[in-house]
Amino acid sequence: MNQHHIEVKVCAKTFAENIRQIRDRVSPAKICVVMKANAYGHGLKVLAPHAIKAGADYIGICTNPEAATLRNLGLEIKLMRLRMGFPDEFEESLNGLNIEEQVGSIEAAEYLSREGCKRGKKVPVHLNIDTGMGRSGFFSNEVDAIAKVCNLPGLEIVGIMTHFATADSEELDFTRKQIKEFYRLRDTLKNNLPPSVLTHTHNSAATVRLTPHCNSLVRVGAACYGVRTSRNFANFSPLKPVMSVKTKVAQVRNVPPGRTIGYGKLFTTQRQSRIASLPVGFGEGYPRSLFNKGVVLIRGHRCPVVGRVSLNITTVDITDIPEEVTWGDEAVLVGCQGNEEITFEELADRFESVHTEINLMAGFMNQVSYRTS
């Protein structure tokens, strides 16, 4: 049974068009559409076929259930795991999920090589080089270890990659340092790598802000969903948001000055006020930390969130709306209304987080509806 007071819409047509725009921008490089964490909350099962039709060469996932979802749909597209894996995950992948693994340690590489030799079929892997992200992978000075991996008999080296730590920062000096370090290592390893090896460094931020350099593949997530990864830059103009989140006004109250609103008495009315209650809170995925910081669109006006965001109720000040606001009126949490718009990025900036956190929350909001036009 659907919730009657929450509407989360995802436009598959916009998603596909964003991918086509990115393809045109990076051509002739291939594109890996990152769809981990249920496609950033947008719906992996529904959107994956649209990604493929729009020209995705790879889909980036993290978990075996994500891969199984795609294989159960009959999709044979190449899958790339975007984190280090475990032996039990490798076993499932080798038995039918066919995930191209990310390898950043001798232990993982030797394990996969043994499994490949045992099965009589080389395992496709991408070498993960740590040039500054600091989370996983071979350090760029571990040349001998990486060369050893390249020559393990049970592996097929299909890619060599790194991940940028600050491509969404105002300054790109560190990103350029990572690029230089990565390509220096790749050139050193040239005789150990197959001529067809895919080189990939660029995430969404780098793809939007920098040329693909010598990349033969880019890994884009946020940009495909029409969101930017930082306040320091804007996406190129054709990219549009894929998701919107709306609710309804549950009650309007006239509140005298001097009254407190919500848990903790974090807001006190300074004037005769009209306060609208919305039937959405952090239980539905609207961030609790947006108290006294968030904004909602009602009748085309930007209305501030006042007081603590509760489990299932959020209160907003509608005093400055000249029109009458009534029970059941539309309230836009993310999206457009009239001439105004609230983006995931704006909300993330307001409580010092990232758009992905709110995307994921929205994706858990009960019933998501999809449209293709």
Side-chain angles (χ1 to χ4, degrees), residues 247-255 261-262 267 269 273-280 286 296-299 301 303-309 312-321 323-333:
T247 185
K248 299 176 182 179
V249 173
Q251 186 178 13
V252 176
R253 302 172 70 226
N254 293 313
V255 180
I261 306 292
F267 179 83
T269 56
S273 303
R274 287 186 298 153
I275 304 297
S277 295
L278 310 181
V280 169
Y286 193 69
V296 174
L297 299 181
I298 298 176
R299 293 197 171 264
H301 297 271
C303 304
V305 171
V306 293
R308 177 72 74 187
V309 174
N312 303 110
I313 297 175
T314 298
T315 45
V316 297
D317 189 339
I318 61 170
T319 309
D320 293 329
I321 297 180
E323 305 97 322
E324 181 183 5
V325 176
T326 61
W327 181 26
D329 279 357
E330 179 185 79
V332 175
L333 305 179

Side-chain angles (χ1 to χ4, degrees), residues 14 33 55 75 82 116 144 152 179 200 299 313:
T14 300
V33 176
L75 304 179
L82 296 176
D144 291 342
L152 288 173
I179 292 172
H200 47 111
R299 293 197 171 264
I313 297 175

Side-chain angles (χ1 to χ4, degrees), residues 5 151 170:
H5 61 278
N151 291 285
E170 184 174 0

Side-chain angles (χ1 to χ4, degrees), residues 83-102:
R83 62 154 168 79
M84 64 293 282
F86 295 94
D88 54 344
E89 290 181 316
F90 295 155
E91 184 77 16
E92 289 180 348
S93 175
L94 292 168
N95 287 334
L97 294 181
N98 300 322
I99 304 169
E100 295 186 7
E101 302 290 349
Q102 182 184 118

Side-chain angles (χ1 to χ4, degrees), residues 188-237:
T188 301
L189 292 168
K190 181 169 58 176
N191 293 333
N192 296 282
L193 296 169
S196 60
V197 70
L198 294 171
T199 300
H200 47 111
T201 63
H202 281 36
N203 56 7
S204 283
T207 300
V208 168
R209 304 178 75 188
L210 301 168
T211 60
H213 199 65
C214 297
N215 279 213
S216 46
L217 179 142
V218 296
R219 308 181 305 268
V220 284
C224 295
Y225 306 99
V227 294
R228 60 175 170 78
T229 57
S230 169
R231 70 186 69 182
N232 294 310
F233 66 93
N235 284 335
F236 45 93
S237 58

Side-chain angles (χ1 to χ4, degrees), residues 165-172 175 205 209 230 232-233:
T166 61
D168 55 356
S169 299
E170 184 174 0
E171 295 294 333
L172 290 170
T175 299
R209 304 178 75 188
S230 169
N232 294 310
F233 66 93

